[in-house]
Amino acid sequence: MKSYVTDLAVFGGRPTFDAILHVGSPNIGDRKRLHALIDDALDRRWLTNDGPYVHEFESQLRDLLRVRNAMVTTNATTALMLVAEALELRGEVIVPSLTFVATAHALTWQRLTPVFCAVDPVTWTLDPAKAAELVTDRTTALVGVHLWGAPCDVMGLGALAARHGLKVVYDASHALGTAVAGRPVGASGDAEVFSFHATKVCNSFEGGAVTTDDDDFAGRVALARNFGFADVDHVVSLGINAKMSEVHAAMGLVSLEALDQFVSANRTNWRRYSEQLEGIAGMALYDPPMLERTSARSYVVVEVQEAAGLSRDELVTILTAENVSARRYFYPGCHRMEPYRSQRLETAARLSVTEAILDRVLVLPTGSATTLDSVDRVCELLAFATARSDEIRSRLRRSQDRPR
Ligand code: T4K
């Protein structure tokens, strides 16, 4: 508990946390079960290439997401690349700049041109009306991102795609556990892509998946994932190695078994953040109003508004010194990262909503490794800092001005 501004670690006080409280600390399921599964794989001497755990993981994903096909991959970035290859995308693809850079990089790696589009100011997901303005005769697809588990305007994007004969792909890396009107995301558009990276609600250390109801397309993805092999000695298309190993699939299975527990921990933390942040000026919890949506609450995303009296970056400085690893995801936006920054200078003007969000966004720690006590202490810090914003700001400025 801090009593004076000088108690803050940024001004020399003792940090609130002895060890770093990570924003993406992994959820870890039953270790004994994981070890047993790995032992079995070793005994079986079948370590990768379409093994039994990969099959089981895919089968469980199909059931969970209520989708006809789920193909697991090394990670979501390669999953996006496989989708672009299997859909034979060419030319330009419309995509939000408000996403992890992997969404854009996967397209660029496929020699496609990402065209960065504005997001809706309330949902922060791809705005179909703005996307419509960017369609040219070179456009072949739209890639929507279910940002922080908030589903895109699937109807609006689907209608736009149908009008122009475009493919639609959803980057659902954040959206395991999101359902709209009781239906899990995973079966919309031509394909959806999930991530099972260590920081995701369900992780396989590294991993991803392509999900789709289209069986022919799924067959093409499965081929592309394994060098294009249709059978032994029989290569029928361009492919790459994007196969998930048995150890990764074992971790995925153990994570899925504990998914309800992880989601429950997230929801408990989210409610506590919601209660605590309500009383703090300028701390608006991102929770877009969407009808009949359920969310795994895997992310706690705060918009730092004027009323906080401190900027988002000042708060990040304060929290980091206290050993709270809060992040500015996805600052400064793909369009301000290379290679995109040097390529298209006109994008910044049309991305003013995106840039305003990226200047204010603060992602706070959650997940099963974050206790309610930690949530309380993070919120206490935010309450303390915002209540003494004037003094803190002038001290921060003075310390910046001081010669080193
Ligand atoms: N599309 C979207 C919308 C995405 O958000 C992502 C990935 C992708 C596509 C691509 O998915 P993958 O190809 O990765 O499957 C992290 C993740 O690496 C990345 O997967 C994720 N999004 C992104 C949002 O976050 P970084 O660069 O922030 O990672 P890093 O190493 O800074 O770690 C983040 C936090 O988690 C830190 O507080 C440290 C902590 N952490 C991390 C790891 C790996 C741990 O405590 N333990 C760990 O094992 O990207």
Side-chain angles (χ1 to χ4, degrees), residues 115-152:
V115 175
F116 295 116
C117 180
V119 292
D120 178 275
V122 175
T123 64
W124 300 5
T125 61
L126 195 61
D127 183 336
K130 299 287 182 196
E133 292 169 12
L134 299 176
V135 175
T136 69
D137 54 9
R138 296 196 67 233
T139 311
T140 56
L142 310 171
V143 175
V145 178
H146 301 311
L147 192 79
W148 309 129
C152 291

Side-chain angles (χ1 to χ4, degrees), residues 7 12 57 97 104 112 118 121 149 153 188 198 215-216 280 286 291 299 305 317 319 334 337 355 368-369 382 387 390:
D7 292 338
F57 192 22
S97 180
L112 296 162
D153 179 355
S188 293
D215 297 347
D216 289 341
I280 307 177
Y286 167 75
L291 232 53
Y299 303 95
Q305 300 171 333
T317 304
L319 290 173
C334 296
M337 295 178 178
E355 295 204 334
S368 56
L382 291 169
D390 288 345

Side-chain angles (χ1 to χ4, degrees), residues 41-254:
L42 296 176
D43 290 345
R44 203 183 296 125
R45 291 183 190 269
W46 195 274
L47 304 185
T48 184
N49 289 15
D50 229 10
Y53 293 158
V54 161
H55 280 199
E56 182 57 26
F57 192 22
E58 292 183 335
S59 158
Q60 292 197 17
L61 286 172
R62 283 196 300 272
D63 290 348
L64 180 72
L65 301 173
R66 290 199 253 146
V67 65
R68 286 183 60 80
N69 303 279
M71 288 141 293
V72 294
T73 59
T74 43
N75 54 59
T77 311
T78 49
L80 283 165
M81 289 162 57
L82 292 177
V83 166
E85 182 67 27
L87 288 175
E88 298 183 354
L89 301 186
R90 300 284 177 268
E92 296 176 357
V93 176
I94 297 172
V95 60
S97 180
L98 183 51
T99 182
F100 190 57
V101 73
T103 320
H105 277 355
L107 300 171
T108 307
W109 205 269
Q110 289 299 114
R111 300 285 178 259
L112 296 162
T113 305
V115 175
F116 295 116
C117 180
V119 292
D120 178 275
V122 175
T123 64
W124 300 5
T125 61
L126 195 61
D127 183 336
K130 299 287 182 196
E133 292 169 12
L134 299 176
V135 175
T136 69
D137 54 9
R138 296 196 67 233
T139 311
T140 56
L142 310 171
V143 175
V145 178
H146 301 311
L147 192 79
W148 309 129
C152 291
D153 179 355
V154 168
M155 301 286 275
L157 293 173
L160 174 64
R163 273 205 304 283
H164 295 277
L166 307 175
K167 303 288 186 193
V168 196
V169 176
Y170 293 104
D171 181 338
S173 291
H174 301 169
L176 196 85
T178 294
V180 181
R183 167 114 211 180
V185 305
S188 293
D190 292 280
E192 304 216 35
V193 163
F194 290 85
S195 172
F196 302 113
H197 181 262
T199 55
K200 300 293 185 275
V201 62
C202 165
N203 87 80
S204 59
F205 299 116
E206 290 270 4
V210 177
T211 58
T212 179
D213 272 341
D214 180 335
D215 297 347
D216 289 341
F217 167 71
R220 295 200 298 279
V221 170
L223 280 175
R225 176 179 65 171
N226 184 27
F227 312 102
F229 273 106
D231 204 344
V232 180
D233 300 338
H234 191 203
V235 172
V236 294
S237 61
L238 177 66
I240 196 168
N241 182 356
K243 292 171 276 111
M244 181 179 274
S245 83
E246 288 291 276
V247 167
H248 290 83
M251 181 66 166
L253 284 169
V254 169

